[in-house]
């Protein structure tokens, strides 16, 4: 079975490369479909799921102690539940057969039998890509690339230890 996971820097063209690779190999391509599948299984809005997963579990979200018992804040339970769904879905997509899976920490979830690719590009090239793709001014594109790099790094580090 051919399972290819693609991790990428924002603006590096990793998503496009993944789609082209899947088309060239004649295999399935999964990216946003993972979020949509979670939405179907949970009856939650896809945008809400994406925001919740991308935000992770904040440093302040720790168990709350009541007398001798504790509970987790609702946001922690929701995020943990969505992460579990994401984990199951990535595994089920890979089990279906040959595919390319972009993002969602699939490279870490699928520990066996997957070709893991990381796509990167020089900062200036990524800024130019974002300017063209999103029709942004240079200053705005630079800020967005820096912010997305920081958010993706935090996301990956949090969820992959």
């Amino acid at each position: 079975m051919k399972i290819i996971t693609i991790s990428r820097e924002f603006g590096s063209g990793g998503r496009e490369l993944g789609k082209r690779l899947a088309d060239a190999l004649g295999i399935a391509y999964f990216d946003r479909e993972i979020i949509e599948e979670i939405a179907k299984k949970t009856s939650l809005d896809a945008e809400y799921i994406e925001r919740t997963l991308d935000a992770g579990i904040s440093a302040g979200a720790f168990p709350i102690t009541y007398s001798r018992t504790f509970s987790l804040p609702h946001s922690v339970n929701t995020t943990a539940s969505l992460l579990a769904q994401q984990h199951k879905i990535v595994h089920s997509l890979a089990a279906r057969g040959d595919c390319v899976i972009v993002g969602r920490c699939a490279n870490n979830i699928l520990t066996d039998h997957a070709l893991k690719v990381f796509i990167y590009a020089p900062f200036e090239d990524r800024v130019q890509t974002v300017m063209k793709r999103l029709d942004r001014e240079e200053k705005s594109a630079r800020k967005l690339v820096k912010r997305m790099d920081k958010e993706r790094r935090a996301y990956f580090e949090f969820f992959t230890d």
Side-chain angles (χ1 to χ4, degrees), residues 7-93:
S7 303
R8 76 268 187 230
E9 288 182 324
F10 184 72
S12 66
R15 176 176 286 139
E16 182 179 344
L17 180 111
K19 180 66 176 141
R20 287 183 179 195
L21 181 60
D23 290 345
L25 295 174
I27 62 177
Y29 170 82
F30 302 108
D31 181 8
R32 178 114 177 113
E33 294 82 358
I34 297 168
I35 297 294
E36 292 165 3
E37 192 69 26
I38 295 170
K40 286 179 196 171
K41 291 188 182 294
T42 62
S43 299
L44 295 171
D45 179 66
E47 295 300 320
Y48 170 77
I49 292 167
E50 190 165 30
R51 280 192 316 272
T52 301
L53 287 173
D54 289 349
I57 299 172
S58 69
F62 48 85
I64 300 171
T65 305
Y66 299 103
S67 185
R68 294 184 181 169
T69 63
F70 74 92
S71 68
L72 294 173
H74 177 71
S75 64
V76 173
N77 288 331
T78 300
T79 303
S81 174
L82 293 175
L83 284 171
Q85 284 292 328
Q86 177 175 279
H87 190 85
K88 286 180 191 175
I89 289 167
V90 167
H91 274 289
S92 71
L93 294 173

Side-chain angles (χ1 to χ4, degrees), residues 9-13 121-147 149:
E9 288 182 324
F10 184 72
S12 66
F123 181 78
E124 293 302 324
D125 293 348
R126 294 186 300 130
V127 169
Q128 293 301 314
T129 298
V130 169
M131 287 171 60
K132 290 176 192 168
R133 188 183 317 144
L134 301 178
D135 194 31
R136 289 191 177 232
E137 304 258 338
E138 184 175 356
K139 184 177 180 180
S140 172
R142 284 180 177 283
K143 285 176 70 174
L144 180 59
V145 171
K146 286 179 183 178
R147 188 186 90 219
D149 281 352

Side-chain angles (χ1 to χ4, degrees), residues 99-115:
C99 64
V100 173
I101 302 175
V102 175
R104 312 292 350 146
C105 293
N107 64 323
N108 195 268
I109 293 170
L110 301 173
T111 56
D112 296 329
H113 312 295
L115 173 63

